[in-house]
Amino acid sequence: MTDLRQQALDYHSLPTPGKISVALTTSAETSYDLSLAYSPGVAEPCREIAKNPDDVYKYTAKGNTVAVITNGTAVLGLGNLGPMASKPVMEGKSLLFKRFANIDSFDIEVKHKTVEEFVNTVANIADSFGGINLEDIKAPECFAIEKALIERCKIPVFHDDQHGTAIVTAAGMMNALDIQGKDIKQANIVCLGAGAAAIACMELLIKCGAQREKIYMLDTKGVVHTRRDDLNEYKKLFANNTDKRTLDDAIEGADVFVGVSGPDLLSQKQVKAMAAKPIIFACSNPDPEIKPELALAARDDLIMATGRSDYPNQVNNVLCFPFIFRGALDVRARTINDAMKIAAVHAIRALAKEPVPAEVLKASGEKALTFGKDYIIPKPMDPRLCAAVATAVAQAAVDSGVAALEMPENYMA
């Protein structure tokens, strides 16, 4: 661990501090180049955009840029570290946008006193970008922030901690249910955690067919139930009319466990209490709610997923968010709606059922991968994800009426 710590610090500081930079896309070698790039030539696109604001997409980089914005109140699993301590994570997000979807990205860390101040700051700069990826903002403020920005901005606004996690979780979950021979409409689901990711995951699973009354959500005080008087408006949506009060109560006979909470909170005894052919998504990072080796020792009929790359079935947002934005930007979608999210779910889950190319096996350090209990979602290094997910998302945007452009001809061909 000491070696990893030093290697990570060196990676971020050498040979140049940080992980991203700005590169030029056009020539700037001669005086004439500069006369085109700046004065007097730059006046011409300015005039065109003044006449037709949509020409900003024609003459600037707006259409291929995403702002990654945070206030640093929920940085990874580290908590409220503040805006500057979140900057390495935001730069990392920008790196992923460029690496996986060739989207240019700028990280912006906002210091504010109120939700309204944060919203005003972001809304006032939003038109500079093609989309906004909100990141590492604590619940419940993140819900209000995203909702307000979606209403005020003319570009897609996407809180990845909520929706990216939900999309990848839903894709893997639906494949796991298929393998286990379970119907999502009949599945009893336990969700340990009641923050942004948990609520978004459960809402999307409901849109995919799960039944709200069969979901048992737990926060630090136990089961979220109808007789509690300490629930915020978001938890109230999952208040179950039940006598179950503890994880022990809820896990008895459960088909599915989703953990977005903290390490080592699910015991082997509780795993043994689940229904036949159970599914466990223990997504707390870096340490899951139960280590896979412990869970699999308790149940050999289990499908197990985590958020870690060193175990099978990694629930990783990079399977989703770069390509969601790629598709949204390419048809100039004004929002990222449920139809686009569900299209992404089905594109990701379908790709896991395809034969895996040798290049993916090599990049993933695997000898073989076949759809089944140890391979329910694609590997992050699978280059087919961009075309598959972006195409599905772009088409859904066009079909649902939120795109300004038609589907490009031979898109991603």
Side-chain angles (χ1 to χ4, degrees):
M1 187 57 73
T2 303
D3 287 345
L4 176 64
R5 179 181 182 277
Q6 190 57 52
Q7 287 171 15
L9 292 174
D10 291 346
Y11 177 89
H12 283 79
S13 62
L14 302 171
T16 304
K19 298 193 287 283
I20 58 174
S21 67
V22 174
L24 301 185
T25 61
T26 191
S27 175
E29 302 304 313
T30 67
S31 295
Y32 187 66
D33 288 341
L34 298 184
S35 73
L36 295 175
Y38 202 57
S39 184
V42 74
E44 299 310 321
C46 292
R47 291 187 181 104
E48 294 301 306
I49 294 166
K51 288 188 288 187
N52 177 19
D54 279 350
D55 275 354
V56 70
Y57 288 96
K58 184 176 181 180
Y59 295 113
T60 78
K62 172 182 167 79
N64 194 52
T65 57
V66 168
V68 177
I69 305 183
T70 189
N71 59 9
T73 53
V75 181
L76 301 176
L78 304 174
N80 185 355
L81 299 187
M84 284 303 95
S86 75
K87 192 170 178 67
V89 182
M90 301 308 114
E91 282 193 356
K93 205 77 174 189
S94 294
L95 179 153
L96 296 173
F97 268 116
K98 189 66 176 178
R99 163 64 178 81
F100 288 100
N102 197 28
I103 292 171
D104 296 318
S105 176
F106 298 90
D107 66 289
I108 298 172
E109 292 76 32
V110 178
K111 184 168 63 176
H112 67 94
K113 294 180 180 177
T114 66
V115 165
E116 184 179 15
E117 280 186 4
F118 182 92
V119 169
N120 285 337
T121 297
V122 176
N124 286 332
I125 64 171
D127 282 351
S128 298
F129 308 99
I132 291 172
N133 185 103
L134 298 173
E135 193 78 15
D136 288 1
I137 302 169
K138 72 181 179 73
E141 289 85 350
C142 62
F143 301 114
I145 286 170
E146 186 192 44
K147 183 174 184 291
L149 287 172
I150 288 171
E151 290 171 354
R152 290 181 58 176
C153 298
K154 299 175 183 177
I155 59 173
V157 177
F158 185 81
H159 184 207
D160 186 49
D161 298 311
Q162 288 183 62
H163 309 300
T165 303
I167 288 164
V168 180
T169 298
M173 185 64 66
M174 292 181 75
N175 278 349
L177 287 164
D178 284 351
I179 293 165
Q180 298 290 56
K182 293 176 182 273
D183 182 352
I184 192 170
K185 293 179 181 178
Q186 303 301 322
N188 289 306
I189 300 171
V190 173
C191 180
L192 186 60
I199 288 170
C201 283
M202 294 305 107
E203 288 288 2
L204 190 57
L205 284 177
I206 288 167
K207 291 181 175 76
C208 292
Q211 301 301 297
R212 194 177 293 271
E213 63 271 16
K214 290 182 176 289
I215 294 174
Y216 299 91
M217 183 175 283
L218 293 93
D219 61 11
T220 56
K221 297 181 180 178
V223 172
V224 174
H225 60 83
T226 52
R227 289 182 284 285
R228 281 179 56 175
D229 58 6
D230 61 342
L231 303 176
N232 63 40
E233 61 182 297
Y234 308 102
K235 291 183 186 180
K236 281 181 180 177
L237 296 171
F238 290 93
N240 198 309
N241 186 14
T242 179
D243 293 329
K244 298 178 190 290
R245 294 292 180 266
T246 66
L247 180 56
D248 279 335
D249 296 337
I251 204 73
E252 186 74 38
D255 298 290
V256 172
F257 171 89
V258 177
V260 274
S261 48
D264 304 321
L265 296 176
L266 184 69
S267 69
Q268 285 184 301
K269 181 180 178 182
Q270 289 164 335
V271 173
K272 290 176 181 177
M274 294 178 73
K277 296 186 175 181
I279 298 163
I280 293 177
F281 277 43
C283 297
S284 175
N285 252 333
D287 299 311
E289 284 74 9
I290 185 170
K291 292 179 174 61
E293 51 269 32
L294 295 177
L296 292 163
R299 296 291 293 266
D300 61 6
D301 59 345
L302 167 70
I303 290 182
M304 179 85 195
T306 70
R308 292 177 53 142
S309 60
D310 52 348
Y311 292 109
N313 301 327
Q314 184 190 15
V315 179
N316 189 331
N317 288 16
V318 80
L319 296 173
C320 163
F321 73 85
F323 319 123
I324 286 263
F325 273 100
R326 181 74 278 158
L329 292 174
D330 289 342
V331 294
R332 212 178 295 165
R334 63 178 178 269
T335 189
I336 294 172
N337 60 20
D338 286 343
M340 295 159 73
K341 294 171 195 171
I342 292 170
V345 169
H346 290 298
I348 293 167
R349 66 179 297 227
L351 187 58
K353 298 177 182 180
E354 297 291 328
V356 181
E359 61 183 303
V360 177
L361 295 176
K362 183 178 179 181
S364 304
E366 301 283 353
K367 292 182 179 178
L369 288 170
T370 305
F371 180 66
K373 292 174 73 170
D374 289 331
Y375 180 62
I376 59 173
I377 39 181
K379 292 291 185 180
M381 303 306 288
D382 194 325
R384 299 173 298 172
L385 279 161
C386 189
V389 179
T391 301
V393 168
Q395 190 65 60
V398 171
D399 293 345
S400 61
V402 299
L405 304 177
E406 291 299 316
M407 196 71 182
E409 192 172 344
N410 298 318
Y411 183 60
M412 291 282 175

